[in-house]
Amino acid sequence: MRLSFVRTLLVLALLGNIIIWHRIWRLFAAQNTLGLLTPSAVTSDPPQKFHRRLSRLVTIIIRQFESFENDVVTTVESVLNSFPTIPILIVCDDLPYPPLELHFGNETLQNVKLITLQSEFNKTYEERNPMFYIRTKYILFLPDASRISTKQIIQKAIVQTSEFRIVTIPVVGKHATMLEAKTLRKLSDPFLLPFPDALYVQTTAIGAKIHILKDHQFSDGKPLYRNQQIQWKMEQLHKSREQLMFKQLGIKKVIRASTFIEWYGCSRETSRCFGSVINGIPSYLYQNRYTPPCCLAGLRKVAHHVFDKLEEVGIRFWLEGTSLLGAMRNGDILPWDHEVQIGINRFDLERSPWLTKAKIKPIEDNHGFVWEKATEGEFFKVQYSKINNLHVNLLPFYPKNGSMIKDARFMKNEDFPEQFLHPMSSIEFAGRQVPCPNNIRDFLELKYFKGVVENPKLPGRIILN
């Protein structure tokens, strides 16, 4: 017992020492950085030496410029006038033409590198990866035609960035951005155009907020894009780059500051945003994502159309399966669901001309929706269009010996007591009231498992973060 007690004391003492030394190290690191930022108060180093030390903290990256009109050369020179040893990376998609008038063989430009992101046979991945050249703690994205007016701005930006993670410094009509290199490394595509829009979309996704350096600003350089034709060209470039950015980042829906909504996902005239659904599991779940919002919007349109057509001819129907579960949880389609499920009375099928025709071959109705008999079982599908196969499943049941029976297995929708439909109830779903079974919780727990409403399981036991 005594030996065990002594060992416990030794372990506690060791842990205490580790904590103390860790705090001392952090304090020392903070003071060391402060020393770099306040040379007059902490060190007697001459200004040249101080500037070299500050240069080791920051890499400047020039990303947002155009080959056909730019001020990159003068911008680089203005930086080197203040910080002769600071590393500068000029990052572009393709080799600029006309070429930039920078003689990289000169000693004054030894820390300046031009990096093209485009794949080339004679360049390795590292040679065209800007992250490979970053050795500093901080990154300053400097827009084209900017001038560093005072060195104190860099000092102030570093202090603010260490606290807020991302800091923007105003320039006339634009702004520079400073962030830690470790933050940049967390982004999926940190140099994606349009810049800095793509940067901010990605930093927002990781929860990083932006702080504006209100009391300081960089000076503006050479005026650019003053010609009306060039301005129109810039607008078109930005629009095409923005569309490509949304596609690459998988963004389907954009709500502008004016509340105007733009869609960049699938539409009725395009294929849906995900491929084949295998074993009831759509591909986007494996990408750690929910159903694209454009697909959910399309599913709602198909569902509303089907509800209207069934009601017109008096077919008895009710919300089924995961769609009923979504209605119970949030009055809408489940965020990860890829279809809408509706139960119908098999004896009413002949009332619908579209279902009758669909038994023979797929048929497009007057509104462009496609009705067809499913190839994988005794049920029907109504698709968004001939091109986009977002769909509603119509699952026929019929009464027998007090139960609602189906002809064949489909989508794990089990038989159930007929009493759940006598009388039927209604529930809010996708913006309207829809018929549904009574005692919804009991119905869903019979179909799935107890507690399914509060703790539903995703297909394939996939866990989304």
Side-chain angles (χ1 to χ4, degrees), residues 196-372:
D197 305 48
L199 177 73
Y200 295 150
V201 169
Q202 294 175 79
T203 53
T204 300
I206 64 172
K209 295 183 178 180
I210 300 170
H211 177 73
I212 301 175
L213 206 62
K214 297 180 180 178
D215 300 329
H216 299 78
Q217 70 174 32
F218 291 135
S219 301
D220 196 18
K222 172 186 173 181
L224 298 173
Y225 320 132
R226 304 177 74 179
N227 181 288
Q228 188 172 1
Q229 184 178 3
I230 294 295
Q231 291 176 3
W232 178 85
K233 183 176 182 178
M234 289 297 297
E235 290 176 3
Q236 298 305 308
L237 272 174
H238 184 274
K239 185 176 180 179
S240 63
R241 288 168 177 169
E242 191 176 59
Q243 290 177 344
L244 183 60
M245 172 190 70
F246 291 138
K247 181 178 179 180
Q248 289 186 233
L249 296 179
I251 295 173
K252 312 296 183 184
K253 181 181 181 182
V254 176
I255 303 176
R256 300 291 183 181
S258 63
T259 69
F260 179 73
I261 296 177
E262 295 177 356
W263 293 94
Y264 292 88
C266 62
S267 67
R268 198 172 196 185
E269 289 72 37
T270 67
S271 300
R272 67 183 182 187
C273 290
F274 54 95
S276 299
V277 178
I278 300 174
N279 296 326
I281 305 173
S283 58
Y284 53 79
L285 289 182
Y286 285 104
Q287 299 170 358
N288 206 37
R289 295 191 173 205
Y290 282 154
T291 311
C294 54
C295 295
L296 291 175
L299 279 174
R300 294 185 191 103
K301 291 178 182 178
V302 184
H304 285 197
H305 179 72
V306 172
F307 295 149
D308 290 340
K309 292 302 176 184
L310 296 179
E311 288 175 348
E312 282 179 7
V313 294
I315 290 181
R316 290 166 287 182
F317 70 94
W318 59 92
L319 214 52
E320 260 288 350
T322 56
S323 297
L324 181 59
L325 178 59
M328 188 69 169
R329 283 178 58 82
N330 55 13
D332 203 352
I333 304 168
L334 288 172
W336 57 82
D337 216 349
H338 61 279
E339 61 191 14
V340 172
Q341 298 178 11
I342 300 173
I344 58 175
N345 193 306
R346 194 185 70 176
F347 296 151
D348 296 342
L349 291 180
E350 300 300 326
R351 297 181 181 181
S352 168
W354 303 114
L355 288 174
T356 301
K357 294 174 182 178
K359 290 180 181 180
I360 303 171
K361 64 178 182 179
I363 181 73
E364 183 178 4
D365 67 21
N366 300 332
H367 299 276
F369 297 90
V370 178
W371 300 64
E372 65 178 8

Side-chain angles (χ1 to χ4, degrees), residues 131-183:
M131 301 303 296
F132 177 72
Y133 301 94
I134 296 173
R135 301 287 185 269
T136 58
K137 183 176 181 179
Y138 299 97
I139 309 296
L140 175 62
F141 283 102
L142 191 65
D144 188 17
S146 299
R147 306 288 185 265
I148 298 180
S149 50
T150 64
K151 304 175 182 68
Q152 287 72 28
I153 298 181
I154 302 294
Q155 299 171 242
K156 181 68 173 178
I158 290 175
V159 173
Q160 295 291 300
T161 303
S162 64
E163 180 179 356
F164 296 104
R165 296 176 65 184
I166 304 178
V167 169
T168 62
I169 306 99
V171 188
V172 178
K174 47 189 179 285
H175 59 273
T177 305
M178 180 176 282
L179 68 164
E180 292 187 348
K182 65 180 182 181
T183 301

Side-chain angles (χ1 to χ4, degrees), residues 316-321 341-349 378-379 393-400 403-417 421 443 447:
R316 290 166 287 182
F317 70 94
W318 59 92
L319 214 52
E320 260 288 350
Q341 298 178 11
I342 300 173
I344 58 175
N345 193 306
R346 194 185 70 176
F347 296 151
D348 296 342
L349 291 180
E378 294 297 320
F379 63 99
N393 288 327
L394 295 174
L395 315 174
F397 288 82
Y398 61 94
K400 183 179 180 180
S403 295
M404 295 301 292
I405 308 296
K406 56 193 177 310
D407 286 329
R409 298 187 62 84
F410 41 69
M411 274 67 72
K412 298 182 181 178
N413 279 275
E414 305 295 337
D415 300 343
F416 59 91
L421 300 181
F443 182 83
K447 293 262 182 173

Side-chain angles (χ1 to χ4, degrees), residues 86-194:
I86 200 166
I88 301 176
L89 304 180
I90 304 168
V91 180
C92 50
D93 286 350
D94 303 297
L95 193 65
Y97 190 83
L100 300 175
E101 296 182 359
L102 290 169
H103 304 289
F104 294 99
N106 291 353
E107 186 177 350
T108 56
L109 299 178
Q110 61 181 340
N111 294 322
V112 181
K113 294 186 181 299
L114 175 66
I115 303 170
T116 56
L117 303 177
Q118 186 68 36
S119 299
E120 295 183 36
F121 281 117
N122 62 340
K123 282 191 176 181
T124 65
Y125 173 76
E126 289 181 340
E127 286 178 307
R128 53 187 177 80
N129 180 12
M131 301 303 296
F132 177 72
Y133 301 94
I134 296 173
R135 301 287 185 269
T136 58
K137 183 176 181 179
Y138 299 97
I139 309 296
L140 175 62
F141 283 102
L142 191 65
D144 188 17
S146 299
R147 306 288 185 265
I148 298 180
S149 50
T150 64
K151 304 175 182 68
Q152 287 72 28
I153 298 181
I154 302 294
Q155 299 171 242
K156 181 68 173 178
I158 290 175
V159 173
Q160 295 291 300
T161 303
S162 64
E163 180 179 356
F164 296 104
R165 296 176 65 184
I166 304 178
V167 169
T168 62
I169 306 99
V171 188
V172 178
K174 47 189 179 285
H175 59 273
T177 305
M178 180 176 282
L179 68 164
E180 292 187 348
K182 65 180 182 181
T183 301
L184 198 67
R185 296 181 192 278
K186 293 179 181 179
L187 308 182
S188 59
D189 195 344
F191 304 100
L192 182 64
L193 293 176

